[in-house]
Amino acid sequence: MPLLVSPSWAKEGMFTPDQLQQVSGELKEAGIDIAPDALADLTGFPMGAIVSLGNCSASFVSPEGLVVTNHHCARGSVQYNSTADKNYLEDGFLAAKKTDELPAAPGSRVYVTTQVTDITDRIRAGTTDFDPLERFAAVEQRSKDIMAECDKDAGYRCQVANFYGGAQYKLMKRLEVRDVRLVYAPADAIGKYGGDIDNWQWPRHTGDFAFYRAYVAPDGSAADFDEANVPYQPKHHLKVSASGLKDGDFVMAAGYPGSTNRYTLLAEVENTFNWTYPTFAVLLQDWIGAIEDSAPEGSDARVKYESRLAGLNNFEKNLRGQMEGARRVGLVDRRRSREAELANWIADNSARAEYGEAISLLEALSEETAKAARSNFWYNNVSRPQLFSAARRLYRLAKEREKADSEREPGYQDRDMAFFRQRMEVIDRRFDPIVDKAEWALFLKGYLKQPQAERVKEFDSALGLSADTNPEEFPNIVEQYYANTKLGDGNVRLSLMDTTVGQLEASDDPFMQLTVAMYEYDRNLEEESEERKGRSLALRPAYMEAITEWQREHGQLTYPDANSTLRITYGTVLGGSPRDGLAYLPFTTLEGVTAKDTGEDPFNSPARQLELINARDFGPYALDSLNSVPVNFLSDLDSTGGNSGSATLNARAELVGLLFDGTFESVNSDWDFDARTTRTIHVDSRYMLWVMDKVDGANALIEEMDIAQ
């Protein structure tokens, strides 16, 4: 349920910075030492130090552009720079000096939000009377135009985000740092300790931290990688606490949570938990198996697919937690009850009748959208293979370039070309034809099992599939594509960025021919989706206005669902009891690392670390009440995916850790916050410093940071 504004429930809520003034009293009562208003100042301390990596959160921790985030957020860059012979995933990476720092994976960015402006009127004006497709197109075009205005300031890449289902729009002005370099990442045996077994579990003993550095041109402007570039000098950076926290202390996190679904309707919940999640969970197990079977341990292919495997394993376990959590808290019944209460409130006053009409139409739209998602599920999967995806993007680029830049689809404008090029480049380090073929054969097998009504005749015709096609034929069908394509060559992909529609349509590359054959069908699917989104843009804001007004009358503050924009959440260091007979202590310690160690992955702690722990060489990093160094700790903060890497701050806004996970019982909080079970897992700054100091010898980085004792 949404936030109830009282001290006992003040821990729920991913607040936008401008909302914090409304809960300043609760923040003070919870124990914050800095002025709550400071958290609304994006260019001041501490918010000026909080950054986004695009898919994770991070923060500046030195005046020389040093950025700390989670190990699993930087692991893609570690993998990108690794080979079977030079495997930084296994060995870890530490740059002895700045000139040894490695370029992060292509597309890596550091974004600093410097200003947030409400642009609701500019986006929504007059759209009420538009038909759905016109409404969608108008909102998209106005968003692009506003971002283009903002992007004119050199070094910025701006973002338009919608809140409350499109009831509110804000322009995020973001400084974009394009030269990002890998500085330090512990070996997987520390940064990924426990692996997929411990993922989403407590007790946890994972050193999930790593460091990047942001670079700019000598004149301070944003620039692509160049050896002449210099470290970015942020206006603010966080002090790193060596004294940390204790049980019950105030704690808060600032970051960029990805998405939550706390205001979805019953129909959306039922479709997700009765069909989408169970179907995907089964597919994920087969998908993981296909990659592992075709990319043996120790092979270069396995190194290339480590990041994908980690993501798929994480997603699979998350889905199981979501489904179990929904069953445990009775999510469907809770959502049904909330909608009944809202309906009763609307019926009590005839002036609210328009809310009821909008919600009724939105419910029907939700059912329609769910049906389309089920129907398109397997076609979307057979479109996943990397070379087919590359061909589709390249052909779409050629199509879009026939339009004026301002009229092109997002992702295909001039502002997007650096990302586009980097996506084409990164395939070289994350693609293996044997694995890609195994994935495609798996998806084709699932597709072929679907009823004829959910098959796509254009796709069947292009691949020569029929009701009589046997899955045993898939290897030969797939092989014809990979044996005759040149899209596995990065230089070829990059050269095709500058070709015309006619040239691509004349291509004899089988993936490009398949792309051309499917283009009109794909565009029809896209238009149908846009029409539904256009209806939603008229209906969902009315639903959220009803929710907001209803909750306000009950003393509740409606915070928006997460949408990858800057948020703050606060609470306390706190253990818990997620179910009968199970108790979670708030801290884990070094001794837990040795207790789990088996000498085999994923419990293969480095020998140096085990020696230090056995010698009780804790340095100045021990917590007296534990008589050991704390490794991870729990809090009751409200978080979700995208929060990974979020700076965990004490009452003085000093860095005391990094948010990196949640407990298995709490993953369902994306849909429904449950105060008893929701617990967030953080890596403790004392463990980070201990590993850097004692295990990996990253003393130069410690000296570079401001350490608060």
Side-chain angles (χ1 to χ4, degrees):
M1 295 292 289
L3 175 78
L4 178 64
V5 184
S6 69
S8 62
W9 288 88
K11 299 165 185 64
E12 180 187 351
M14 301 177 191
F15 298 102
T16 57
D18 59 300
Q19 284 189 306
L20 293 173
Q21 295 177 359
Q22 300 177 60
V23 292
S24 60
E26 286 78 13
L27 276 166
K28 292 176 182 176
E29 187 173 347
I32 194 170
D33 286 342
I34 66 170
D37 289 353
L39 299 176
D41 182 1
L42 303 185
T43 59
F45 177 84
M47 302 308 290
I50 307 302
V51 302
S52 169
L53 302 181
N55 59 349
C56 280
S57 303
S59 52
F60 287 119
V61 287
S62 91
E64 294 187 81
L66 191 65
V67 174
V68 67
T69 188
N70 285 154
H71 184 274
H72 75 261
C73 294
R75 195 168 182 268
S77 292
V78 180
Q79 175 271 321
Y80 181 80
N81 285 285
S82 295
T83 64
D85 296 328
K86 188 174 62 177
N87 194 335
Y88 295 129
L89 295 170
E90 289 185 3
D91 303 332
F93 175 78
L94 174 62
K97 52 187 182 298
K98 290 186 178 69
T99 52
D100 295 331
E101 294 168 2
L102 298 174
S108 297
R109 297 288 190 274
V110 171
Y111 296 105
V112 186
T113 301
T114 60
Q115 186 178 8
V116 177
T117 306
D118 191 303
I119 54 170
T120 304
D121 290 343
R122 287 188 66 183
I123 295 291
R124 296 189 66 190
T127 60
T128 303
D129 298 328
F130 291 0
D131 70 37
L133 277 174
E134 288 176 327
R135 185 180 302 113
F136 177 86
V139 168
E140 183 178 85
Q141 188 61 54
R142 292 172 186 180
S143 297
K144 290 188 295 184
D145 292 344
I146 291 170
M147 287 189 291
E149 294 171 10
C150 184
D151 285 352
K152 289 180 180 178
D153 289 347
Y156 284 85
R157 182 178 177 87
C158 302
Q159 172 193 19
V160 170
N162 81 72
F163 299 78
Y164 304 108
Q168 182 183 54
Y169 290 83
K170 293 180 180 180
L171 173 66
M172 312 293 171
K173 187 170 185 177
R174 305 181 305 171
L175 178 68
E176 179 188 43
V177 178
R178 302 197 302 271
D179 186 352
V180 182
R181 304 185 194 178
L182 181 65
V183 178
Y184 165 53
D188 273 1
I190 291 175
K192 197 172 180 281
Y193 190 71
D196 297 319
I197 296 172
D198 269 8
N199 193 22
W200 302 105
Q201 299 296 316
W202 188 260
R204 195 74 173 271
H205 301 84
T206 308
D208 202 343
F209 70 95
F211 290 85
Y212 281 133
R213 194 183 304 278
Y215 281 80
V216 292
D219 63 2
S221 62
D224 294 323
F225 176 85
D226 191 303
E227 291 183 359
N229 287 349
V230 298
Y232 172 69
Q233 296 181 344
K235 294 181 180 179
H236 301 282
H237 66 275
L238 302 175
K239 292 183 178 180
V240 179
S241 173
S243 57
L245 299 162
K246 63 182 185 300
D247 188 12
D249 278 355
F250 171 88
V251 67
M252 59 183 172
Y256 292 78
S259 64
T260 53
N261 305 283
R262 293 181 184 168
Y263 303 107
T264 50
L265 291 167
L266 178 62
E268 297 166 300
V269 171
E270 289 181 320
N271 179 67
T272 298
F273 286 90
N274 294 341
W275 192 89
T276 305
Y277 281 0
T279 304
F280 230 127
V282 173
L283 172 61
L284 285 168
Q285 293 172 10
D286 294 337
W287 192 352
I288 291 166
I291 295 175
E292 291 178 340
D293 290 344
S294 54
E297 286 276 6
S299 66
D300 191 54
R302 177 58 69 91
V303 174
K304 289 181 176 180
Y305 280 79
E306 275 291 343
S307 289
R308 177 173 290 193
L309 275 174
L312 293 176
N313 276 296
N314 180 68
F315 187 29
E316 189 274 335
K317 198 165 188 177
N318 178 280
L319 289 189
R320 285 192 280 117
Q322 296 272 14
M323 291 186 286
E324 169 60 24
R327 182 201 61 77
R328 186 185 62 251
V329 303
L331 175 61
V332 171
D333 289 339
R334 285 169 63 86
R335 197 57 56 96
R336 182 180 290 111
S337 175
R338 185 177 76 179
E339 292 189 10
E341 292 177 25
L342 178 62
N344 290 336
W345 174 81
I346 292 172
D348 284 343
N349 189 332
S350 60
R352 302 168 185 154
E354 289 186 1
Y355 289 150
E357 294 169 4
I359 292 172
S360 179
L361 291 171
L362 186 59
E363 288 171 342
L365 175 59
S366 297
E367 293 278 6
E368 182 182 334
T369 302
K371 182 178 179 180
R374 292 192 296 269
S375 178
N376 299 328
F377 179 82
W378 281 105
Y379 174 67
N380 290 336
N381 282 309
V382 294
S383 303
R384 286 182 184 274
Q386 293 194 61
L387 300 190
F388 185 20
S389 297
R392 295 171 81 196
R393 287 182 56 79
L394 288 164
Y395 186 63
R396 182 66 180 272
L397 175 63
K399 283 281 192 178
E400 293 296 325
R401 279 185 163 167
E402 294 181 334
K403 308 174 187 175
D405 182 60
S406 63
E407 297 174 4
R408 296 176 195 165
E409 289 293 311
Y412 296 92
Q413 295 182 282
D414 289 345
R415 74 192 296 263
D416 305 311
M417 285 304 98
F419 281 109
F420 194 103
R421 176 175 292 273
Q422 288 162 344
R423 286 185 66 175
M424 292 292 120
E425 292 173 337
V426 79
I427 294 173
D428 287 340
R429 289 299 308 143
R430 293 178 180 168
F431 167 78
D432 180 271
I434 294 176
V435 182
D436 211 47
K437 285 187 282 188
E439 290 178 309
W440 203 17
L442 171 69
F443 299 141
L444 284 169
K445 182 179 179 181
Y447 170 80
L448 198 65
K449 291 180 180 178
Q450 303 314 300
Q452 194 65 40
E454 294 186 4
R455 298 265 293 275
V456 180
K457 63 179 182 180
E458 293 88 346
F459 184 78
D460 287 0
S461 176
L463 265 72
L465 304 179
S466 69
D468 298 324
T469 301
N470 190 307
E472 294 179 359
E473 300 175 45
F474 290 155
N476 290 332
I477 293 173
V478 167
E479 181 60 34
Q480 295 173 23
Y481 281 82
Y482 289 85
N484 296 293
T485 185
K486 295 181 180 179
L487 288 174
D489 185 326
N491 291 327
V492 170
R493 293 192 300 273
L494 293 177
S495 69
L496 292 178
M497 288 180 61
D498 299 317
T499 52
T500 66
V501 170
Q503 289 171 320
L504 292 179
E505 289 178 348
S507 170
D508 60 1
D509 189 289
F511 281 113
M512 192 58 69
Q513 291 176 338
L514 179 59
T515 293
V516 173
M518 297 309 304
Y519 184 78
E520 288 303 321
Y521 179 82
D522 289 342
R523 296 291 69 74
N524 288 337
L525 283 184
E526 185 176 299
E527 184 170 307
E528 290 170 5
S529 175
E530 290 174 353
E531 194 276 340
R532 290 191 295 270
K533 290 176 181 177
R535 280 186 277 159
S536 179
L537 288 173
L539 301 173
R540 201 168 292 273
Y543 165 61
M544 287 308 303
E545 288 168 13
I547 286 276
T548 302
E549 186 179 337
W550 173 53
Q551 291 179 342
R552 186 184 300 117
E553 289 191 8
H554 289 82
Q556 298 171 359
L557 174 64
T558 306
Y559 56 86
D561 266 323
N563 61 352
S564 298
T565 58
L566 185 57
R567 305 294 179 93
I568 297 95
T569 175
Y570 68 95
T572 58
V573 176
L574 185 68
S577 178
R579 59 181 184 270
D580 184 52
L582 180 64
Y584 288 163
L585 298 177
F587 289 96
T588 58
T589 65
L590 290 180
E591 285 73 16
V593 175
T594 57
K596 286 183 176 179
D597 189 80
T598 64
E600 297 181 359
D601 181 54
F603 297 105
N604 54 337
S605 181
R608 168 69 175 162
Q609 183 175 35
L610 294 176
E611 292 170 2
L612 290 164
I613 297 172
N614 290 331
R616 299 186 63 77
D617 187 353
F618 300 155
Y621 308 112
L623 175 60
D624 290 342
S625 62
L626 298 176
N627 195 27
S628 184
V629 177
V631 175
N632 296 153
F633 66 89
L634 288 175
S635 76
D636 56 1
L637 297 189
D638 191 355
S639 65
T640 188
N643 267 128
S644 290
S646 291
T648 305
L649 309 175
N650 63 14
R652 298 180 297 279
E654 297 166 343
L655 186 86
V656 290
L658 299 174
L659 191 160
F660 75 92
D661 208 354
T663 59
F664 190 71
E665 297 84 3
S666 67
V667 293
N668 190 247
S669 64
D670 283 0
W671 296 83
D672 187 278
F673 187 91
D674 178 26
R676 177 182 178 182
T677 60
T678 299
R679 293 294 181 272
T680 292
I681 306 175
H682 313 252
V683 57
D684 197 294
S685 59
R686 289 163 290 196
Y687 182 58
M688 295 164 56
L689 293 169
W690 182 82
V691 170
M692 296 172 72
D693 180 5
K694 300 289 185 177
V695 181
D696 285 341
N699 302 93
L701 294 181
I702 295 176
E703 292 174 5
E704 180 181 334
M705 298 185 291
D706 289 337
I707 307 299
Q709 302 295 333

